[in-house]
Amino acid sequence: MPQASPRGTYLQVSETLRQQIESHGADISLPSEAALMRIHGVSRNTIRRALKALETEGVVESAPGIGWRVVREGDRRSLAQRMMDLIAEDSLTVGDVYPSEAKLCERFGSSRTAVRRVLAQMEGTGLLAAVHGKGRTVRTLPTPTTRP
């Protein structure tokens, strides 16, 4: 970036990345954070903020051991949103058993680490309850303002 922006440099970087992803489709592979730093002439923190902004929008996702990748299949919701929406999609009600970590990994094509992180967030917000020996159950139904 040649000069500072009142809008936020990370937002400019995220917009540039979004446009590249939209023009190349989901087949584009993202460069490493170090390469993005060189390309855009910004710090690692700026790159990470840009990628986190795109992750929040469901455009990219963090893949442990791989880096960042474009979300495939046209579903631009974040993993957290997709896991929360699963309650309504599967018609789960309070007290129903929530799918296991293994089933969630398979369903969403995500790592166990990412799934566990979102499950912990969902437990923290009170959507799920862990029951020893039985997995997790739905504790409350999500509302439009509930975000894990």
Side-chain angles (χ1 to χ4, degrees):
M1 297 279 121
Q3 61 190 28
S5 163
R7 183 169 178 241
T9 305
Y10 80 97
L11 292 172
Q12 288 182 336
V13 172
S14 69
E15 185 59 32
T16 300
L17 290 172
R18 181 184 301 98
Q19 289 173 359
Q20 290 173 349
I21 290 166
E22 288 173 358
S23 67
H24 292 95
D27 295 328
I28 188 175
S29 61
L30 293 175
S32 67
E33 288 181 4
L36 289 170
M37 288 168 49
R38 284 190 301 276
I39 291 166
H40 295 282
V42 296
S43 69
R44 184 174 302 273
N45 187 47
T46 300
I47 293 299
R48 286 186 176 161
R49 286 183 72 191
L51 290 168
K52 283 289 189 186
L54 292 173
E55 181 182 38
T56 301
E57 296 172 20
V59 176
V60 299
E61 63 188 357
S62 176
I66 297 171
W68 292 88
R69 64 181 176 202
V70 176
V71 173
R72 308 261 185 242
E73 304 163 8
D75 190 350
R76 297 292 189 207
R77 297 175 296 164
S78 67
L79 177 61
Q81 188 61 49
R82 289 183 287 160
M83 285 176 60
M84 191 172 73
D85 290 348
L86 179 143
I87 294 171
E89 291 168 3
D90 289 1
S91 301
L92 299 176
T93 60
V94 173
D96 286 348
V97 176
Y98 195 77
S100 68
E101 290 177 7
K103 287 183 181 177
L104 292 167
C105 291
E106 182 180 328
R107 182 172 182 163
F108 297 117
S110 295
S111 70
R112 188 162 285 221
T113 302
V115 166
R116 283 182 177 167
R117 184 181 71 231
V118 174
L119 287 170
Q121 291 173 345
M122 291 175 76
E123 288 173 14
T125 59
L127 288 173
L128 299 178
V131 179
H132 183 68
K134 297 192 185 228
R136 291 173 178 86
T137 60
V138 177
R139 186 173 178 194
T140 182
L141 298 178
T143 62
T145 58
T146 307
R147 295 282 178 250

